[in-house]
Structures are given as C-alpha cells and as structure tokens.
Amino acid sequence: MVNSIRHHSHHNPPIGQIPVPHGPDTGNEHDHYPPGNPPTDPEDQRAIFGYLTHPDDCYTDDGVYWADLPLKKRLAFVNKVHNEEAKKELRQIGKMMKADPLSPISWYIHNAVLPGAGLGLEGYVLFSIGNLEPLFRSTWPQCWGKDATVCSQDWIASVTYLEVIGIMVGQVAVGVIGDWIGRRWGLIQDAAIMFVGLLMITASWGLTLEGWVICYAWSLFFYGFGVGGEYPITATSSMENAVSAGKLSTREDRMHRGRKVTLAFLMQGWGQLVNQAFLILLLLVLHHGDGDPPYGTTTTQWIWRVSFAVPAVGTLWLVYYRAYKMPHAGRQLAAAKRKSNVTGYDIESLRLTCTFFGGRLLATAGTWFCNDVFFYGNKLFQAQFIAVISSNPSSVLTGWIWNLYNVIISLAGYHLASLLIDHKLYGRKMMQQVGFLMCFIMFIVPAFNYEYYTSPKGIKAFQAMYFLSSFFNQFGPNSVTFLVAGEVFPTPIRASAHGFSACIGKSGALLASVLYNYIDTQTKFHVVPWFGLAGMILTWLFLPDTTGLDLKEQERRWHYIRTGRGHEYHGIAIHPKHLSLWERLMGVGKNYDPEKDLKQKIEDMREEWTSKERLRREKEVGGQAAGDLECLDDDEFNDNVHRYFRETTSEHLYVSGANPAVNNSDESEKDPEKVKRVSSSDEIAPVPATPGAQQSGKKESAAGLSEKSSS
C-alpha cells in the first residue's frame, strides 16, 4: 500500500470553494492513498501516522527512538538533528533580516520580552530593594546602621523577612489559583497586585524613621505576594504556550520548549541590569556627578522613590496587556479539565501526583531550596574583595558598579543556558548537576584557605571565583529549577507544583538571610558549599530528564494514570532516559514497549479524534457553539489521518457520543440524514512514506522564528 500512494501535483482549490481546515490542499505537492477500503497493515498505518508517532527529530528512518540507539549512533543522530535545526534557524534569521532588518528584534520582543515582562519588572524591583540598603545605611545610620539608635533592629531585619514571606505566600496561593480559576486570571491578578504594591512602596511614609520603615516593610510584603505569583503562573503559561495557539505536540515544543521558558525567565536578569544602571545614573545626576558619601536625605529620597515609580508605569501596562492581549493563556488547562470532566480544582490529580510523582516534588523543591541558599550566598564574595581592591570601599557607587559587572556575567549564563537547555546530549539534568558542582567548587576552595584568598596576593583568584559562581548559577540550577518545577508535572496541578517548589526554594533564601546574621563570613563559606553538593545529589537521584520529550506525551501518560490504567502505558514518557534514578529503581520503566505503544497511540488518537469530531458535528447540527471549541483546530491530524479515522470508526461513536466500549444500538440506528457528514475528498493531503518524514502541508518555521502572537 505504501508503494501505491499516488503523487498529486500542486493545485489550486476549485473555483468558488473556500479552503477550510481539512479541506482541499492549496499549497504543496502531496501524495494520497487510493480510495477504497482503509489500510489495516501495520506498515501502511505507519506510513499514515508516521509524522505523529515517529517524528524525525526523535526517531531514525527505521523507527528507533534516539535514546534507544547505541552511544555512537546516538551521538551522530542527535548532533545531526540539532545541527540541521541550527542551520534552519540561521537561514530563517537571514530571510527575516532580508525582508526587515529589525524583524529579529521584533521576534525577541514577542517571544521573550512580553512573556517575561512580569519577571523582568520584579527582577528590577527586588534587585533595587537590595541595592538601596547600602544607600539607606549611609544616609540614615541612626536607623539602618549596626549601632542604630532610632529604629528597632527587628524592624530593619523584617524588611527582608516580610519581603521573602510575601513571596512565599504568593507562590503557593497563586499556584493554586492558577490551577483552580485559570492561568489568565492569575496573570492579570499578579500584575494588578504588583502595580498596587509599587504605588505603596513609592508613597510609603511615616511620622518617624521607624514609622517609615514599618510602612516600607509591609508594602514590600504586599508587593512580594504578586512577585511570588509570577513564578508559577509565568512558567506554566510560557510552557503551555511554547507553541503558538496552544498547540503542544510539535517539533518546536520538543526542540525549543526549554528555550522558550528560559528566554522568559532571563528577563529577570535584564530587569536587574536596567535597575543597576538606572540607580547609578540617578546617583550621579542627583549627587552632583559624584558617587562618594556623604549622601543628602533629599537626594536619597528622590533616588529610591523614582527608582520604584518607573517600574510602576511598566506594571500598569502589563495589567492592560494581560487583560486584553492574552485571551488564550489558559486554554491548555481548560482542555485538560474538560478531558477529566473537572470544573474546579482537581483534588484527585493532586492526590495522584503526590502518589506517583512524590520523588519529583522532592527533586524540584529540594534543589530549588539548595539553589536559593547559593544565590544569596554569592554576595558573600563581593564585600570581601571590594574591601581589598577598592580605594574607596565605603562608596555606594563602588558596590553598584561591581554589581553591574556581576549582572552582565550572569546574563551570559542565562543566555548560554537557553541555548543548551534543549540539547539532548546536555539538557536540563546535566546542566543542573554541572552548575551545582561548579558552585560547590567555587565556595569550597576559598572556605579552607580563606586568609590567602582575601589577602592582596590571592584576591584576584577570589574575584574570579565570585564571577564564575554567578555564571554557573545561571547556567545551571537557577535556570533549570524554574523550568522543571512545572515541566515534570501534569497540567491540572502544574502551577500548584511549581508554586510549592518555588516556596520551598524561597525558604532557602529566608534561611540564608536569617543565618547570615548570626555567623561570621568565614563560617558562611564553610556552610554554603554543602548545599551545592546536596543539590547535585538530589538532581542525580530524583530529577527526571525531560529534554526532548513533548508535553503532550507526558499528558498522554498522565491520562492513563488519571483513569487508573498507569500500568497499561508503554510510551517514551517512561523510557529510562526520561525517568529519574529513583523512578527506575522503583520499576516505573518496566512497561516501556515501543511496539505496544504504537498500537496504543493510534487508538488514543482515535479517541481524541472522535471526541473533537463529535463536538464539531454537534455544533454544525445545532447551529450554535457547543462549549469552547477553540481547541478543535489545535490537532495535527492531516487529511489522511482524518479519512482513516472516518473510515475505520463507527459513525455512531462520534455522532451520538456513545462510549466506544458500549454498543449503543439506539443511537447507531438514528437516521444518518439527521447528521451532516463531513465530505471526504479523494484528494488527500500528503502522507510521509517513511516513519521519519514530516507532515507535508503543515509548514512550521525553523524553531518558530516566524512572527507569531505572544498569546
């Protein structure tokens, strides 16, 4: 039958006929199988379904999954796929620049800046809070200094504590809201809370210095709630919309989902960079072009209030953008709930996740905790080497300039992470392990020879370790934890799992901020490194590697678990490559069987097809929408697949909505004239002749570099 597929040259649609989904092809040349009985031979079925079941970025022409190949062949196959993809991207960039030199910038804005705008704004504000403390100490030593006489040290410490606690509460609460009410509501709510919080911070005042500190601290708590919600809601919405229109099972999702999420996350780094540069500019402009102390109270008031007022304007725009320009942010969650027949919060999915994915929760939450201890420990280096190499270490400007250098190096780590996080030979898990290991080394070395590395003789090496720890923190656990905390969990509780993991992670920051107040600097260097070692071990033991595994396949496995048939799933989501060591030891991957899975996939696709076809026909017969049907056009079925299912599926299953397991004779005997049948053209869309062939007629730009809507 494969050999009988006939080639049909390019044609235009018949005059007067409007091209519609699954209607006549109007673009490329294509093949079609001859009319008659549908194919039942496995080889023929593979020819029809090959682009869905064996995409060429994951399978060889022989139908072997890349992770099942011998090492030498695996290296060759993966490098070939990624090199070809890189060439396609470069060619696409060239075409874009030829048509419009600024189009790559427009692409970056739509695919990184807009999805990560909330994280960029919160990165700006949170970094500003830390940057302003040295200025406050220098301006109001009687309140912010070590020997303060006007303000309570408890309230000064609470500025940091309330900020972190507010973030933790927001991470958990908005994570639940995102899974309960929806992603779009969470996005709008977060932006609105951050906007009001910034107004509170900018306008904070008091009759006394301590009164102002109290107002400032509680304003940070309120703002922190919105910031905390950004973590789960931005990660899940970016991930689920990694492909335009919410379509999940595509080449771009498998090959570039990690990059899509990381590009949004690294806006946090850009926010820090803009904040630091803006503060330096404000200090020079308002302090007579001089960054040295003493600093006047009026100057300081202008600097910090203006620095918070500027992002308030950006956050107000973000409220508008999310409310009016992101209407489809929650469609993937809606589809998952519809499939499980759930309207509110999916408690059953939460229970099953804790049962089946408990090790993953330990990995995502535990590694994030270890990373945040490191993230805040990084600043331990700076004060030490500034005191040795700077001619004016008491100047706030000196510290800000070194911060600026560190942020630039961190941004290099963010961007390199986005380039390699989807590479199958490196990917998420290896990146996180290497990052933790390098941070461990960068801290343990000076810990046991502290006097030498903080002396003029060793300070350059000490400074290099500071910058390297920043680089590998971003090119490692800081980028990966944000991605995998949502990626390894099912859609119905993805935001909740991400929020829980982020909350536990932020408790590491809280631990660091409290602990560092009670131990000296050298002791800190003895304590911090071991969190890097612990993070590496947790990653190795409990974290699965989802590099190259598309979300739809994970959702397919979850559907089996959700319906109590987890043992019947045989697909690549339980391939040893995509399971943690703990899961492999627990026997999760024992049911992996590619041959059984191929048959299951076709039947699972049939179930999906009948469900959507039933809804479509109800809409046609009733003359009105039968619920939210936007998802109907999100499938990747070409016309051959549609024809195959029409000719091999009992009509009453998708006309009456009968259960496939039940022979509903009453419904099957309905007058077929009452149901409008979708016409089947003899002109069938392209069919790949080999398992590795891509779906013809479905044009995807290389890595999605073409212009697309950010929603």
Side-chain angles (χ1 to χ4, degrees):
M1 188 296 216
V2 174
N3 295 328
S4 68
I5 294 177
R6 295 189 289 112
H7 183 76
H8 188 83
S9 59
H10 173 83
H11 68 285
N12 293 319
I15 296 175
Q17 187 168 358
I18 300 174
V20 295
H22 317 306
D25 183 77
T26 60
N28 296 325
E29 298 182 352
H30 63 264
D31 303 304
H32 63 86
Y33 65 78
N37 293 328
T40 58
D41 184 77
E43 183 180 355
D44 297 337
Q45 290 179 340
R46 180 166 290 189
I48 295 172
F49 293 98
Y51 76 95
L52 291 170
T53 60
H54 294 80
D56 65 357
D57 57 288
C58 295
Y59 290 85
T60 66
D61 290 341
D62 298 326
V64 180
Y65 190 55
W66 69 271
D68 288 325
L69 293 170
L71 180 59
K72 187 176 180 180
K73 291 184 178 180
R74 185 188 310 175
L75 293 173
F77 176 82
V78 170
N79 285 326
K80 178 176 178 290
V81 169
H82 283 280
N83 290 341
E84 288 177 353
E85 188 72 11
K87 291 176 182 177
K88 287 180 183 178
E89 288 191 320
L90 291 174
R91 285 195 298 268
Q92 185 67 25
I93 291 172
K95 291 179 182 178
M96 291 169 64
M97 293 187 69
K98 187 176 180 180
D100 179 0
L102 297 180
S103 58
I105 298 176
S106 178
W107 179 91
Y108 186 80
I109 290 172
H110 278 83
N111 290 273
V113 177
L114 294 180
L119 288 169
L121 288 165
E122 65 91 1
Y124 174 102
V125 174
L126 295 185
F127 203 63
S128 187
I129 294 166
N131 282 332
L132 287 169
E133 284 193 19
L135 184 61
F136 291 163
R137 282 197 297 268
S138 182
T139 306
W140 296 293
Q142 70 274 28
C143 182
W144 291 81
K146 292 183 178 179
D147 301 318
T149 57
V150 175
C151 300
S152 166
Q153 287 301 302
D154 291 337
W155 274 113
I156 296 299
S158 71
V159 170
T160 299
Y161 299 159
L162 284 174
E163 173 200 341
V164 174
I165 292 172
I167 293 173
M168 293 171 66
V169 173
Q171 286 167 336
V172 174
V174 179
V176 173
I177 290 171
D179 287 332
W180 180 20
I181 302 177
R183 314 285 196 241
R184 184 169 178 265
W185 173 262
L187 286 165
I188 298 170
Q189 168 199 279
D190 280 342
I193 290 175
M194 289 195 295
F195 172 67
V196 175
L198 280 170
L199 294 182
M200 292 170 62
I201 295 170
T202 304
S204 59
W205 202 263
L207 296 177
T208 63
L209 272 175
E210 184 171 84
W212 163 62
V213 169
I214 294 172
C215 182
Y216 181 65
W218 281 109
S219 298
L220 288 178
F221 174 84
F222 185 87
Y223 178 78
F225 184 93
V227 168
E230 277 298 298
Y231 285 78
I233 212 69
T234 300
T236 52
S237 60
S238 296
M239 191 178 306
E240 292 168 359
N241 290 282
V243 183
S244 67
K247 191 184 294 179
L248 290 181
S249 184
T250 68
R251 182 187 183 94
E252 185 179 348
D253 177 56
R254 291 185 296 271
M255 299 199 69
H256 302 299
R257 182 178 66 250
R259 184 176 70 180
K260 180 81 172 182
V261 177
T262 308
L263 282 175
F265 180 61
L266 66 79
M267 291 308 300
Q268 189 179 67
W270 282 110
Q272 295 171 359
L273 181 69
V274 171
N275 169 257
Q276 192 61 85
F278 188 53
L279 284 177
I280 291 172
L281 181 64
L282 284 175
L283 182 61
L284 293 176
V285 170
L286 298 174
H287 195 55
H288 318 295
D290 184 359
D292 296 335
Y295 309 104
T297 56
T298 302
T299 298
T300 301
Q301 289 273 6
W302 272 102
I303 289 173
W304 77 265
R305 292 188 191 277
V306 170
S307 71
F308 286 129
V310 169
V313 177
T315 307
L316 180 60
W317 172 85
L318 187 63
V319 176
Y320 157 77
Y321 181 81
R322 289 179 172 179
Y324 292 98
K325 301 297 183 181
M326 299 182 68
H328 303 305
R331 65 189 307 179
Q332 207 55 48
L333 175 65
K337 286 187 174 183
R338 186 163 48 242
K339 192 171 184 178
S340 299
N341 197 27
V342 174
T343 55
Y345 191 82
D346 196 342
I347 298 293
E348 179 64 13
S349 288
L350 181 64
R351 184 188 69 80
L352 290 172
T353 297
C354 293
T355 302
F356 288 91
F357 297 147
R360 298 186 178 195
L361 273 174
L362 178 61
T364 56
T367 56
W368 205 326
F369 176 88
C370 294
N371 174 66
D372 268 27
V373 174
F374 258 109
F375 190 79
Y376 284 79
N378 178 264
K379 294 186 179 296
L380 297 175
F381 286 92
Q382 186 170 302
Q384 303 306 312
F385 74 71
I386 287 178
V388 175
I389 68 176
S390 175
S391 59
N392 188 10
S394 62
S395 171
V396 171
L397 184 62
T398 301
W400 285 358
I401 290 173
W402 283 111
N403 274 342
L404 189 65
Y405 296 153
N406 190 43
V407 171
I408 292 172
I409 292 171
S410 296
L411 271 172
Y414 277 121
H415 281 88
L416 187 58
S418 71
L419 290 176
L420 292 180
I421 201 163
D422 288 307
H423 198 288
K424 296 182 180 71
L425 300 180
Y426 195 68
R428 286 93 153 127
K429 188 166 185 174
M430 181 62 71
M431 184 181 293
Q432 181 154 300
Q433 287 178 289
V434 171
F436 270 128
L437 177 62
M438 293 303 296
C439 288
F440 170 74
I441 293 172
M442 293 303 108
F443 275 81
I444 203 70
V445 170
F448 290 97
N449 202 357
Y450 183 74
E451 292 185 3
Y452 168 76
Y453 284 109
T454 54
S455 67
K457 192 174 182 180
I459 198 65
K460 293 296 183 183
F462 189 78
Q463 193 176 6
M465 287 185 284
Y466 163 64
F467 290 127
L468 283 171
S469 69
S470 295
F471 175 82
F472 279 103
N473 183 257
Q474 311 309 330
F475 180 50
N478 202 42
S479 295
V480 177
T481 51
F482 182 81
L483 170 63
V484 299
E487 189 179 54
V488 300
F489 300 107
T491 297
I493 54 87
R494 181 170 288 134
S496 300
H498 194 286
F500 171 78
S501 300
C503 178
I504 298 300
K506 193 57 68 176
S507 68
L510 185 63
L511 171 67
S513 62
V514 174
L515 182 64
Y516 293 169
N517 289 327
Y518 298 99
I519 57 178
D520 59 47
T521 303
Q522 186 170 2
T523 305
K524 294 172 189 174
F525 274 95
H526 283 288
V527 171
V528 170
W530 307 108
F531 287 94
L533 188 61
M536 186 178 69
I537 293 172
L538 283 173
T539 303
W540 170 71
L541 186 58
F542 292 108
L543 185 68
D545 189 359
T546 49
T547 306
L549 182 65
D550 71 36
L551 287 181
K552 193 167 186 178
E553 185 62 30
Q554 297 184 76
E555 290 303 305
R556 182 169 162 257
R557 181 197 173 197
W558 174 250
H559 179 64
Y560 278 78
I561 293 174
R562 186 71 170 75
T563 55
R565 300 181 295 128
H567 61 284
E568 296 179 14
Y569 175 78
H570 305 291
I572 57 174
I574 57 171
H575 189 287
K577 172 65 180 177
H578 300 304
L579 296 175
S580 67
L581 176 60
W582 176 258
E583 287 172 328
R584 295 199 297 270
L585 291 175
M586 294 294 101
V588 175
K590 64 184 179 181
N591 292 322
Y592 174 65
D593 189 326
E595 292 303 319
K596 289 182 179 179
D597 184 57
L598 178 59
K599 298 177 182 178
Q600 282 183 332
K601 275 185 177 179
I602 294 176
E603 292 310 308
D604 291 343
M605 285 187 283
R606 185 193 304 278
E607 181 182 347
E608 180 183 353
W609 181 87
T610 55
S611 176
K612 291 183 177 181
E613 193 69 12
R614 184 167 60 246
L615 288 174
R616 179 180 287 110
R617 288 167 183 254
E618 287 175 358
K619 179 180 178 181
E620 292 175 348
V621 172
Q624 58 183 0
D628 180 14
L629 301 178
E630 289 177 330
C631 64
L632 294 178
D633 292 328
D634 280 351
D635 64 68
E636 288 189 297
F637 299 159
N638 66 13
D639 283 1
N640 281 343
V641 174
H642 280 281
R643 177 177 173 181
Y644 176 88
F645 284 141
R646 278 197 300 269
E647 298 187 2
T648 60
T649 305
S650 297
E651 185 176 352
H652 76 275
L653 297 183
Y654 55 87
V655 171
S656 65
N659 189 316
V662 179
N663 182 14
N664 193 330
S665 58
D666 293 337
E667 298 288 1
S668 64
E669 292 173 359
K670 282 187 176 180
D671 184 356
E673 293 301 320
K674 293 181 180 180
V675 180
K676 180 180 177 182
R677 297 202 53 167
V678 177
S679 62
S680 175
S681 172
D682 287 341
E683 301 292 310
I684 304 298
V687 181
T690 61
Q694 289 296 293
Q695 176 188 2
S696 177
K698 290 258 183 187
K699 291 188 175 181
E700 294 179 356
S701 63
L705 286 173
S706 59
E707 201 66 45
K708 61 179 70 173
S709 167
S710 60
S711 65

